[in-house]
Amino acid sequence: MGALFIRDIRLGLRAGGGVLIGILFFLAVITVVPFGVGPDLKLLARIGAAMLWIGALLATLLGLDRLFQADRDDGSLDLLIMASERHMLALTVLIKCLAHWTVSVLPLVVASPLLGLFMNMEPAAIGATTLTLLVGTPAITLIGAVGAAVAVSLPRGGLLVSVIILPLTVPVLIFGVSASYGAVEDPAPFLAPFLILAAITLFFAVLGPLAAAAALKSSAD
Amino acid sequence: MGALFIRDIRLGLRAGGGVLIGILFFLAVITVVPFGVGPDLKLLARIGAAMLWIGALLATLLGLDRLFQADRDDGSLDLLIMASERHMLALTVLIKCLAHWTVSVLPLVVASPLLGLFMNMEPAAIGATTLTLLVGTPAITLIGAVGAAVAVSLPRGGLLVSVIILPLTVPVLIFGVSASYGAVEDPAPFLAPFLILAAITLFFAVLGPLAAAAALKSSAD
Amino acid sequence: MSNHAGFILAAYGVSFIALAILIGWIFVDQRTQRQALQELELRGVRRRSEAKTDGAS
Amino acid sequence: MRLIAENLAGERGGDLLFEGLDFTVPSGEALLVTGPNGAGKSTLLRIIAGLLAKAAGQVRLEQISGGFESLTAASHYLGHLNAMKPVLSVEENLRFWGSFNGQGKLSIADALERVGLGDIGYLPFGYLSTGQKRRASIARLLVSNRPVWLLDEPTAGLDKASERQFAALMQDHLRGGGIIVAATHLPLGLGNTRELALGAAA
Amino acid sequence: MRLIAENLAGERGGDLLFEGLDFTVPSGEALLVTGPNGAGKSTLLRIIAGLLAKAAGQVRLEQISGGFESLTAASHYLGHLNAMKPVLSVEENLRFWGSFNGQGKLSIADALERVGLGDIGYLPFGYLSTGQKRRASIARLLVSNRPVWLLDEPTAGLDKASERQFAALMQDHLRGGGIIVAATHLPLGLGNTRELALGAAA
Amino acid sequence: MSETVSKTARWIDWANPTRFMTFAAAFLPWLGGLTTLVLAVGFWMSMQAPDDYQQGATVKIMFIHVPFAWLSMMCYTIMTLAALGTLVWRHPLADVSAKAAAPIGAVFTALALVTGSLWGKPMWGTWWVWDARLTSVFVLFLMYLGIIALTRAIDDPAKSAKATAILTLVGFINIPIIKFSVDWWNTLHQPASVLRMGGSTIDPSLLWPLLVMAIGFTLLFFTLHMQAMRNEIWRRRVVAMRRVAARSAERRTVQ
Ligand code: HEM
Ligand SMILES: Nc1ncnc2c1ncn2[C@@H]1O[C@H](COP(=O)(O)OP(=O)(O)OP(=O)(O)O)[C@@H](O)[C@H]1O
Ligand SMILES: Nc1ncnc2c1ncn2[C@@H]1O[C@H](COP(=O)(O)OP(=O)(O)OP(=O)(O)O)[C@@H](O)[C@H]1O
Ligand SMILES: [Mg+2]
Ligand SMILES: [Mg+2]
């Protein structure tokens, strides 16, 4: 299992452009929003958390469709499925998700405080947003794994994967954003949505790999 | 050449599930936004154009990295390069870009007025955004093609170059969004950024394929 | 209240057209499949076994 | 240990490719699956490997030794695709499969030596020639210990010397009590083999 | 028409694989390139096809007939990869290459008939078995007319019957004044062939 | 235990595709006729219905909008049951049913959205607001389209069946989640307040046409669904027979 994690991390760093393209896209999102809302710093600060979340959500989608596709194309997926008695397939999926998250999403989370500064957000808001991103984005990857597994046999599943999973990521987004707001606006609570967010991540950490494993098993041909 | 266009369109449609997916993807991306920033119609109207552009950028980037990779992986790229006396390679690249744009981006451009309605944008803003998308998104595909070609030719070093090339899409995004706003907000001009946008597209319509073709030629090994 | 007649007509009209297209498509589909089936049967192609073919769905 | 198939049937996209297959491969023997293109050789191997659902019948491993739980778990599958990552070096690829599949028998260096790639383990897998790639995948069979080898055209692309080398490896495996099921158009140069001829493309 | 190589050298990643190659293949003859894995057979073919830069020397086609401008333009290249899209049907794939490469000789249906795939042209390429895939790629050589065929292990995965069929196709091509350069480990069953043996893995 | 098995077996036997085809062929003309009749009566009744004192003539849109909205949800429920049928009982008809239902459901959902928008413009002054109910219907529409796209993208029915079933099931969890979470999100930011007629206090003069129309459209749905299932079964037979034909032809050429 550790070996799989290390292999996927290596692959991500060495070959897939995922990391940098993801960050770049994230930056692009954050750069153009001020053009839209104008130089109104207050407004920017208000929608800052939402923008960071939307940017992170969309950036996570980039490259997610290749999560299993690459392994299928070179025959590795067959062997991973065959090994399912040694390593439960759901666990294999979980590890692959973790590696993908570490390589393509973690850098965004790390970069988000900087972008929060650009958006004129308060320090507390920045901290809260980063924290919610850290806790919430794994859920997106895990949900995405289901879509990637369902679409694995399609050579260009990219868009399809996003279509399948975007409606499912809506709750994550909602609770992530509301927790971030909760940290600065007084009536709104922080802890409740944050805990729900954590619960969603944990829930999908179980359900996502199981569903993805089922889809992968039936995809072998 | 027509044959190549038709083949690539077919590939895009068959594998990913059709034009429908393109539109659907965009719909899904745009639905996510109100969940993030809240259902405030005024605010939505203001960031509408920026959101449409971000959605289009994401859709264009999804799968763009596979533009030549897929052909390389199954050996088609070799034959395309070998045919370069019959069909200039730069032209081949251009046709491939066109096909990619037609399948993955054009549906979004067509769907964008509808989404403008959902975002509560004014008719003038909707028209301007659609127009800028139509004129500006090809530039993103063309710039991306250079990155994709470089990435194919230098499996390891390629990443770095793509990351240098991809930031070029940010100006496209900025001029596109400012032209869209120019159409509705008074002090901001529409024509100037729009013309710059058109110029960028034309410029890359020539330079992009040439650069990509050069990279591809040196890539064969 | 006839100033809203346009909206009502549009609602009924759109519904009628959409349902007509749906029904028409289903009938065209029926004819296509039936013709293909008849043509194959004329050429003497037989399903291996009914249950098997359907079961493979 | 015995690999037993009873009344096995395989289908692809609704078409029955073969049915009523019965065979037994005892430990120490090899089964050669032959037949024209499209006869279903690869399909049969994938069914045995547990990657494809069988249309009817069953296939199982009896008296399994070595603590494996099922036929799938006890099998190595070498398909047309090499299951190696082009950007990782040969050694990195093998190290990954070795620790993922466990049950190491040979060290990676030894395995590479046995397939004649001792000196180029540091190269990225994508740089190898066709035959070298195939040999590197054969080394994958050696780094983890599995009694059943399912080989789909294993010698495609190998030169004469490597073919002999590989035949010797298979002999070793059989002598150690292993089982081999190989789909092939070419003679493999093995002694104690049974043959299963699948029909014309059905 | 003659394919001429003079003092040709090829390298990979800084290593000289072969040098000082001189050969001439006149119209109507075949050159068999043999040698162990990693000897540089594929490299040589890719150099002739113009896909790889030569390290030294030159290779050219003299007295080209049929209006081709260069060796590359007059060549068909059949590599390890089939250059076909799995999601498109066999016919769609062939139709694309036919109209992209131009110079049609056989219709697609005829070409498929010649390789024994006449009735499954409507299937997606990805559904074919290994040997059927290879035969479909061979059909690609038939739909566009090119005098020079560069074949890299063309018979890998073919069954005996298809091998004979393919040998007949190559004979036809040679009889029509074509040239064949083939890298292979297996005999191709051709008559008038020259052989070029590349050295051991360098 | 053995009894349940045999019971299931009998039930599955009853619903085998061949019997379904016989049954559908006999039943469909009657169902079609009944549908036409009920819809005609319903249409006539809704034309006769009085205007609402608050909403004026636009209340006529209700007679189609509400049935469409109900059917959009009913259809997804049927597809979810079918998905269970595919995954749990592996029933061959289940996948056919789900695949045939998806486009019909998508059309009804789209019509609910369009008629709702056409009602919203005169009533609320805007085509669209991001309120809980509207948004969840929109997401439902997206999921229909996603499922259709998936069934079209994988052409081997055996493979697309499971993938689609998994997606449908996962999507069903999504509907309550979205409905629930949208409430959450609305309390956080002040939403544009949305007028809504009290569901319970509808005047009988409006209720009866609505009910008749609802029954009519439900019948229409079942008619179309049954016919679409028939088409789908035929389509699969055609594909299977073409393959058999091709294969026997190939055997001839090879030998
Ligand atoms: C695009 C916009 C709209 C959508 C997507 C939509 C959706 C729905 C849905 C899903 C239902 C069924 C709810 C249920 O039974 O639980 C429904 C019922 C209903 N809608 Fe709409 N609606 C829209 C616009 C409107 C407008 C503008 C009005 C009137 C001003 C309206 C009035 C009603 C009424 C009266 C019912 C039935 C009452 C009930 O069962 O609660 N809707 N709508
Ligand atoms: N994914 C698939 N979907 C549908 N049909 C398939 C699929 N893969 C293979 N087939 C069909 O199944 C048949 C058997 O294929 P298989 O790969 O088992 O043949 P094979 O005996 O291995 O042939 P070869 O010698 O060419 O490798 C072929 O006719 C092929 O067209
Ligand atoms: N892309 C590459 N980069 C660097 N070296 C390479 C590359 N491709 C091949 N090589 C090396 O070049 C040598 C010759 O490779 P080539 O593919 O020409 O051999 P071959 O004679 O075709 O062998 P085979 O019989 O296995 O096909 C090999 O040693 C290989 O490691
Ligand atoms: Mg095979
Ligand atoms: Mg080679």
Side-chain angles (χ1 to χ4, degrees):
Chain A
M1 279 292 124
L4 182 62
F5 186 71
I6 291 170
R7 180 191 77 149
D8 271 29
I9 296 256
R10 265 208 195 116
L11 282 176
L13 294 181
R14 211 165 287 179
V19 198
L20 289 166
I21 292 180
I23 292 197
L24 202 72
F25 176 77
F26 197 40
L27 274 174
V29 171
I30 303 300
T31 334
V32 295
V33 173
F35 279 86
V37 298
D40 180 349
L41 284 182
K42 279 230 190 68
L43 186 55
L44 265 185
R46 225 193 91 198
I47 63 169
M51 283 303 136
L52 286 181
W53 256 98
I54 292 173
L57 171 62
L58 297 182
T60 311
L61 294 182
L62 282 169
L64 196 58
D65 58 316
R66 303 275 308 154
L67 188 61
F68 303 112
Q69 184 98 54
D71 276 338
R72 183 193 149 99
D73 286 351
D74 66 13
S76 304
L77 188 59
D78 288 339
L79 302 191
L80 295 182
I81 292 175
M82 279 181 70
S84 57
E85 242 148 76
R86 237 178 97 78
H87 307 290
M88 227 175 67
L89 193 53
L91 205 64
T92 305
V93 171
L94 185 67
I95 299 287
K96 281 189 75 74
C97 289
L98 269 184
H100 179 267
W101 182 82
T102 312
V103 174
S104 331
V105 188
L106 191 57
L108 306 192
V109 178
V110 173
S112 61
L114 185 66
L115 293 164
L117 280 183
F118 285 150
M119 303 284 278
N120 193 37
M121 286 163 67
E122 292 169 37
I126 293 181
T129 309
T130 310
L131 196 63
T132 53
L133 281 175
L134 189 67
V135 171
T137 46
I140 299 177
T141 309
L142 291 162
I143 297 170
V146 183
V150 164
V152 69
S153 52
L154 306 176
R156 247 174 135 186
L159 288 180
L160 188 62
V161 173
S162 326
V163 169
I164 293 172
I165 72 158
L166 267 177
L168 294 173
T169 55
V170 164
V172 182
L173 184 69
I174 290 175
F175 290 110
V177 174
S178 31
S180 312
Y181 283 124
V184 274
E185 284 171 24
D186 232 6
F190 168 75
L191 208 61
F194 183 76
L195 288 182
I196 296 180
L197 192 66
I200 293 181
T201 299
L202 288 182
F203 176 70
F204 279 112
V206 177
L207 190 75
L210 284 178
L216 284 181
K217 264 208 181 121
S218 76
S219 85
D221 74 335
Chain B
M1 277 292 120
L4 181 63
F5 186 70
I6 291 170
R7 178 190 78 149
D8 272 29
I9 296 256
R10 269 214 190 108
L11 280 176
L13 294 186
R14 192 140 328 158
V19 194
L20 182 63
I21 294 279
I23 296 183
L24 204 55
F25 166 75
F26 207 25
L27 284 175
V29 169
I30 299 299
T31 338
V32 159
V33 176
F35 282 107
V37 297
D40 179 349
L41 286 180
K42 279 231 189 70
L43 181 58
L44 281 180
R46 273 178 77 181
I47 61 170
M51 284 303 136
L52 289 179
W53 260 97
I54 289 170
L57 175 65
L58 180 65
T60 315
L61 288 184
L62 267 176
L64 194 60
D65 58 321
R66 305 274 310 156
L67 188 59
F68 303 111
Q69 189 81 49
D71 276 337
R72 184 194 148 100
D73 287 351
D74 66 14
S76 304
L77 189 59
D78 288 341
L79 303 191
L80 295 182
I81 293 174
M82 278 180 71
S84 59
E85 244 149 74
R86 242 177 94 80
H87 308 288
M88 226 175 69
L89 194 53
L91 206 62
T92 305
V93 171
L94 186 66
I95 298 285
K96 280 188 77 71
C97 290
L98 268 183
H100 179 267
W101 182 81
T102 310
V103 174
S104 341
V105 188
L106 188 58
L108 312 195
V109 177
V110 173
S112 58
L114 181 68
L115 292 162
L117 277 185
F118 279 137
M119 301 286 275
N120 195 37
M121 285 161 68
E122 293 168 37
I126 293 180
T129 308
T130 309
L131 198 64
T132 52
L133 281 176
L134 188 68
V135 171
T137 45
I140 299 180
T141 311
L142 292 161
I143 297 171
V146 182
V150 169
V152 163
S153 59
L154 314 168
R156 291 218 192 164
L159 190 57
L160 207 69
V161 188
S162 326
V163 169
I164 295 170
I165 287 170
L166 278 175
L168 290 176
T169 57
V170 173
V172 179
L173 201 63
I174 288 175
F175 285 112
V177 173
S178 35
S180 313
Y181 284 110
V184 274
E185 282 169 24
D186 232 8
F190 167 76
L191 208 62
F194 183 74
L195 288 181
I196 297 180
L197 196 63
I200 294 181
T201 299
L202 287 181
F203 177 70
F204 279 112
V206 178
L207 191 74
L210 284 177
L216 286 180
K217 264 218 177 104
S218 75
S219 83
D221 74 331
Chain C
M1 277 292 162
S2 58
N3 53 335
H4 293 324
F7 290 106
I8 300 173
L9 280 181
Y12 277 78
V14 166
S15 308
F16 182 78
I17 292 171
L19 289 177
I21 291 176
L22 178 66
I23 294 168
W25 171 68
I26 287 178
F27 274 95
V28 168
D29 195 25
Q30 179 192 23
R31 280 192 44 186
T32 327
Q33 302 310 331
R34 270 190 137 156
Q35 270 168 9
L37 212 58
Q38 267 163 12
E39 192 188 312
L40 281 166
E41 263 157 16
L42 273 184
R43 280 184 14 210
V45 183
R46 291 235 31 91
R47 279 176 292 139
R48 245 190 342 272
S49 90
E50 238 162 42
K52 184 93 238 153
T53 313
D54 297 329
S57 51
Chain D
M1 213 166 36
R2 277 188 310 165
L3 176 69
I4 297 180
E6 278 164 8
N7 191 32
L8 197 62
E11 59 150 31
R12 277 294 201 180
D15 274 335
L16 223 53
L17 289 172
F18 50 80
E19 53 187 331
L21 283 190
D22 291 291
F23 57 81
T24 309
V25 193
S27 160
E29 289 201 19
L31 178 74
L32 239 61
V33 184
T34 59
N37 293 141
K41 302 180 292 299
S42 304
T43 307
L44 175 61
L45 285 188
R46 291 182 72 81
I47 287 177
I48 300 179
L51 289 167
L52 209 63
K54 29 195 168 299
Q58 56 166 319
V59 55
R60 63 178 190 281
L61 199 60
E62 275 187 356
Q63 302 151 19
I64 314 183
S65 60
F68 297 99
E69 277 169 39
S70 72
L71 175 55
T72 302
S75 301
H76 262 315
Y77 174 69
L78 177 71
H80 302 129
L81 301 166
N82 289 317
M84 306 284 239
K85 298 287 174 190
V87 287
L88 298 184
S89 74
V90 179
E91 268 165 13
E92 281 169 337
N93 269 301
L94 288 178
R95 197 166 321 119
F96 163 65
W97 284 120
S99 65
F100 189 79
N101 282 335
Q103 308 269 359
K105 194 167 59 168
L106 287 184
S107 77
I108 287 158
D110 287 349
L112 280 177
E113 208 60 65
R114 294 288 293 272
V115 296
L117 293 180
D119 306 316
I120 55 176
Y122 67 93
L123 276 184
F125 182 75
Y127 280 12
L128 302 189
S129 80
T130 323
Q132 289 167 339
K133 281 189 177 129
R134 203 67 185 155
R135 275 144 66 182
S137 321
I138 290 172
R140 172 165 59 74
L141 306 183
L142 304 176
V143 291
S144 302
N145 194 10
R146 294 285 148 92
V148 181
W149 285 6
L150 306 173
L151 313 173
D152 200 350
E153 304 189 26
T155 57
L158 292 189
D159 58 21
K160 287 281 162 317
S162 316
E163 251 179 65
R164 275 194 302 277
Q165 211 169 25
F166 180 54
L169 285 177
M170 287 194 290
Q171 293 283 18
D172 274 6
H173 178 65
L174 292 179
R175 227 174 284 125
I179 288 176
I180 290 179
V181 181
T184 176
H185 298 292
L186 309 167
L188 286 182
L190 289 178
N192 43 346
T193 54
R194 305 168 176 218
E195 198 176 316
L196 175 71
L198 292 182
Chain E
M1 214 163 37
R2 278 188 311 166
L3 176 70
I4 299 179
E6 278 165 5
N7 192 33
L8 198 62
E11 58 149 31
R12 278 292 202 181
D15 275 339
L16 222 53
L17 289 173
F18 50 81
E19 54 186 331
L21 284 191
D22 291 292
F23 58 80
T24 309
V25 193
S27 159
E29 290 201 18
L31 178 74
L32 239 64
V33 185
T34 58
N37 294 141
K41 302 179 292 298
S42 303
T43 307
L44 175 61
L45 284 188
R46 291 183 72 82
I47 287 177
I48 301 179
L51 289 167
L52 210 64
K54 26 194 168 300
Q58 54 168 318
V59 55
R60 62 179 189 280
L61 199 60
E62 275 187 358
Q63 302 150 23
I64 313 185
S65 60
F68 297 98
E69 277 169 38
S70 71
L71 175 54
T72 302
S75 301
H76 262 315
Y77 175 69
L78 178 71
H80 302 130
L81 302 166
N82 289 316
M84 306 285 237
K85 298 289 173 188
V87 284
L88 298 185
S89 75
V90 178
E91 267 164 15
E92 282 169 336
N93 270 301
L94 289 178
R95 198 168 319 121
F96 163 65
W97 284 118
S99 67
F100 189 80
N101 282 335
Q103 308 270 357
K105 193 167 58 169
L106 286 184
S107 77
I108 287 158
D110 287 348
L112 281 177
E113 208 59 64
R114 295 288 293 273
V115 296
L117 294 179
D119 297 297
I120 55 175
Y122 69 93
L123 277 183
F125 182 76
Y127 280 12
L128 302 188
S129 78
T130 323
Q132 289 167 338
K133 280 188 177 130
R134 202 65 183 158
R135 274 144 67 182
S137 327
I138 290 172
R140 171 163 60 75
L141 307 182
L142 303 177
V143 291
S144 302
N145 193 10
R146 294 284 151 89
V148 181
W149 285 7
L150 306 173
L151 312 174
D152 201 349
E153 305 190 24
T155 56
L158 292 189
D159 58 20
K160 288 281 164 313
S162 316
E163 251 180 67
R164 276 192 303 275
Q165 214 169 24
F166 179 55
L169 285 176
M170 287 195 291
Q171 294 283 16
D172 274 5
H173 179 67
L174 292 179
R175 228 175 281 125
I179 289 176
I180 291 177
V181 182
T184 177
H185 297 292
L186 309 168
L188 286 184
L190 288 176
N192 43 348
T193 53
R194 305 168 176 218
E195 197 176 316
L196 175 70
L198 292 182
Chain F
M1 175 67 204
S2 67
E3 207 193 358
T4 39
V5 168
S6 67
K7 227 181 234 163
T8 336
R10 223 178 299 135
W11 177 73
I12 285 180
D13 192 42
W14 175 81
N16 90 26
T18 315
R19 291 210 188 162
F20 171 79
M21 294 303 269
T22 326
F23 170 74
F27 191 61
L28 261 174
W30 296 99
L31 194 59
L34 188 64
T35 306
T36 323
L37 193 72
V38 176
L39 273 183
V41 170
F43 187 68
W44 181 78
M45 281 172 77
S46 51
M47 287 301 102
Q48 299 302 311
D51 286 358
D52 186 67
Y53 69 98
Q54 214 178 7
Q55 317 208 356
T58 57
V59 78
K60 293 217 179 341
I61 298 181
M62 180 178 76
F63 303 134
I64 49 176
H65 166 73
V66 175
F68 289 154
W70 284 341
L71 278 174
S72 67
M73 291 182 290
M74 186 187 81
C75 181
Y76 200 90
T77 314
I78 290 180
M79 283 166 61
T80 309
L81 292 179
L84 280 178
T86 303
L87 291 177
V88 180
W89 299 293
R90 293 162 203 278
H91 194 279
L93 270 182
D95 174 49
V96 172
S97 162
K99 198 175 172 193
I104 305 175
V107 168
F108 279 118
T109 316
L111 284 178
L113 285 169
V114 171
T115 53
S117 274
L118 282 169
W119 200 359
K121 188 67 182 174
M123 287 296 105
W124 306 336
T126 172
W127 299 103
W128 185 258
V129 288
W130 292 96
D131 101 315
R133 184 174 269 184
L134 272 59
T135 308
S136 43
V137 175
F138 186 60
V139 172
L140 178 66
F141 180 59
L142 290 184
M143 287 191 316
Y144 272 121
L145 293 187
I147 289 168
I148 294 175
L150 190 67
T151 54
R152 295 292 132 97
I154 307 177
D155 53 0
D156 184 354
K159 259 196 282 170
S160 79
K162 258 195 191 158
T164 317
I166 291 177
L167 183 60
T168 312
L169 272 186
V170 175
F172 192 72
I173 305 175
N174 197 38
I175 291 184
I177 289 185
I178 286 183
K179 253 201 153 135
F180 156 78
S181 55
V182 171
D183 289 338
W184 244 92
W185 150 75
N186 266 337
T187 55
L188 189 66
H189 308 267
Q190 280 307 306
S193 55
V194 174
L195 299 171
R196 194 162 280 283
M197 196 170 84
S200 50
T201 57
I202 300 184
D203 191 79
S205 62
L206 298 180
L207 190 61
W208 278 111
L210 176 61
L211 282 183
V212 176
M213 285 293 259
I215 293 173
F217 279 116
T218 310
L219 286 173
L220 177 66
F221 170 80
F222 281 116
T223 314
L224 293 180
H225 185 214
M226 199 174 276
Q227 181 61 49
M229 279 175 73
R230 255 193 345 156
N231 292 350
E232 184 61 27
I233 291 175
W234 275 328
R235 188 179 355 265
R236 288 178 186 192
R237 285 189 183 165
V238 168
V239 170
M241 283 165 74
R242 285 222 173 103
R243 275 173 172 272
V244 171
R247 213 156 282 287
S248 49
E250 196 196 12
R251 207 165 341 181
R252 258 184 283 118
T253 50
V254 167
Q255 249 97 59

